[in-house]
């Protein structure tokens, strides 16, 4: 499969006047993201996730190593061209609104990219329909719920027809329902349009849905793997301060209590099924 993004031994330190040896916020990070993948990046506070996101979109440039997008090394010269093929959604939807209505807001970036008016109107409608906000064209963004705001922010990104969608804690300010709405939307978009998604999240339940998970710790990549591979190392994840998904925690506790359980249980459904079929129905 085609490569969309690669980090090649990337390091970055924030400069602080007083510090002689600044601490590396991102330290020798390498990984590759292929077309069509959904990648979750997880890690405790301060492990370098947002810094990685800023390096991916050219808000920061690495001190060492290369960031390659669409098989091209990102430089100050090609950054705008590269960025035009990416959509970003960040944590706080309120800081992302610029338009006075939902449709103006989604149109904003298109206008900046010089998309002709007719096409802009079509794309705005399409994108808002994709996120199920087609009935809210003339609503004021500030009066929407958190989940609706994040869906409008995603529509703004989608209207650009990006090859890559990068989200940094896009669901973290939402309640469980809003979070589910956004996650389900991303799943659907991925399935329908083959969009490549990189999602930074604290929520390991959300990370379970990704194709691969990158675990960050102290600026470095601790491990990369499928959700099965990653959660097989549950203890290690807890040691670096991550909250395991509920079903995994419960099955770990049941094992400690001496219950004989097969395999890993990533979802509550899997756990309930095994408990039911192999323990309670005997
Ligand atoms: N603008 C900045 N100036 C100086 N240091 C910074 C700046 N932004 C982040 N850092 C430091 O860089 C390190 C990595 O921060 P980063 O924001 O990338 O972590 P994160 O994994 O996104 O954390 P969180 O989960 O809290 O969002 C931290 O030690 C942080 O204090
Ligand atoms: Mg962050």
């Amino acid at each position: 499969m085609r490569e969309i993004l690669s980090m090649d031994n990337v390091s970055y330190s924030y400069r602080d006047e007083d510090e002689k040896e600044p601490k590396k916020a991102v330290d020798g990070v390498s990984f590759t993201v292929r077309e069509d993948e959904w990648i979750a990046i997880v890690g405790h506070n301060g492990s370098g996730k947002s810094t990685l996101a800023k390096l991916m979109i050219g808000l920061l440039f690495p001190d060492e190593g290369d960031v390659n997008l669409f098989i091209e090394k990102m430089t100050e010269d090609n950054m705008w061209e590269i960025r035009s093929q990416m959509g970003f959604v960040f944590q706080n939807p309120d800081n992302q609104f610029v338009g006075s209505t939902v449709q103006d807001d989604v149109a904003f970036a298109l206008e900046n990219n010089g998309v002709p008016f007719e096409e802009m109107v079509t794309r705005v409608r399409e994108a808002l329909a994709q996120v199920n906000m087609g009935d809210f064209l003339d609503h004021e963004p500030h009066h929407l719920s958190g989940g609706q705001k994040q869906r409008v922010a995603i529509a703004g990104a989608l209207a650009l027809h990006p090859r890559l969608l990068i989200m940094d804690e896009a669901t973290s300010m939402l309640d469980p329902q809003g979070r589910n709405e956004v996650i389900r939307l991303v799943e659907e978009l991925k399935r329908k349009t083959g969009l490549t998604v990189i999602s930074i999240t604290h929520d390991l339940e959300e990370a379970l849905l990704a194709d691969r998970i990158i675990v960050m710790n102290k600026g470095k990549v601790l491990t990369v793997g499928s959700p099965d591979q990653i959660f097989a190392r549950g203890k290690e994840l807890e040691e670096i301060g991550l909250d395991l998904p509920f079903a995994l925690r419960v099955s770990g506790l049941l094992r400690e209590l001496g219950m004989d359980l097969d395999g890993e249980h990533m979802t509550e459904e899997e756990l309930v099924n095994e408990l039911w079929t192999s323990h309670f129905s005997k």
Side-chain angles (χ1 to χ4, degrees), residues 5 16 55-56 60 69 74 77 79 85 91 94 107 132 149 159 172 216-217 228 232 240 243 254 270:
L5 174 145
D16 191 336
L55 289 160
M56 286 176 196
L60 299 174
L69 277 137
M74 173 124 72
D77 294 330
M79 174 185 89
Q85 302 178 61
Q91 182 165 16
D94 288 324
N132 277 330
K149 284 177 186 167
S172 67
M216 293 292 295
N217 186 38
D228 286 340
I240 63 160
D243 290 326
L254 290 174
E270 282 166 16

Side-chain angles (χ1 to χ4, degrees), residues 31-194:
F31 59 79
T32 302
V33 177
R34 295 182 290 267
E35 191 159 43
D36 256 17
E37 275 196 300
W38 175 347
I39 298 286
I41 300 182
V42 304
H44 60 82
N45 292 120
S47 58
K49 304 179 301 293
S50 294
T51 308
L52 265 185
K54 288 177 199 156
L55 289 160
M56 286 176 196
I57 67 182
L59 278 178
L60 299 174
F61 283 88
D63 301 329
E64 291 163 57
D66 294 332
V67 177
N68 305 294
L69 277 137
F70 318 117
I71 339 182
E72 221 182 326
K73 175 179 166 178
M74 173 124 72
T75 63
E76 313 222 358
D77 294 330
N78 64 15
M79 174 185 89
W80 291 104
E81 162 59 24
I82 285 179
R83 258 198 214 168
S84 70
Q85 302 178 61
M86 296 195 265
F88 337 112
V89 182
F90 295 120
Q91 182 165 16
N92 188 342
D94 288 324
N95 296 342
Q96 308 181 50
F97 286 119
V98 283
S100 57
T101 65
V102 164
Q103 61 179 335
D104 283 353
D105 196 80
V106 175
F108 182 77
L110 297 180
E111 211 164 5
N112 276 352
N113 280 9
V115 174
F117 183 77
E118 301 266 294
E119 187 181 340
M120 193 166 78
V121 173
T122 316
R123 284 211 211 174
V124 168
R125 301 235 154 127
E126 262 170 21
L128 284 167
Q130 275 181 308
V131 302
N132 277 330
M133 289 294 287
D135 294 337
F136 291 81
L137 293 177
D138 295 314
H139 285 237
E140 285 177 41
H142 293 285
H143 294 167
L144 302 174
S145 73
Q148 289 171 331
K149 284 177 186 167
Q150 259 339 30
R151 284 192 280 153
V152 171
I154 293 174
L158 291 177
L160 296 165
H161 293 178
R163 293 171 68 186
L164 171 64
L165 179 67
I166 297 176
M167 304 196 290
D168 187 0
E169 305 280 0
T171 59
S172 67
M173 296 186 61
L174 306 179
D175 60 18
Q177 191 194 332
R179 192 175 297 176
N180 275 339
E181 279 176 20
V182 170
I183 293 169
R184 224 169 278 132
L185 168 69
V186 172
E187 266 185 310
E188 192 184 312
L189 287 170
K190 256 220 65 189
R191 208 175 48 240
K192 285 191 186 151
T193 67

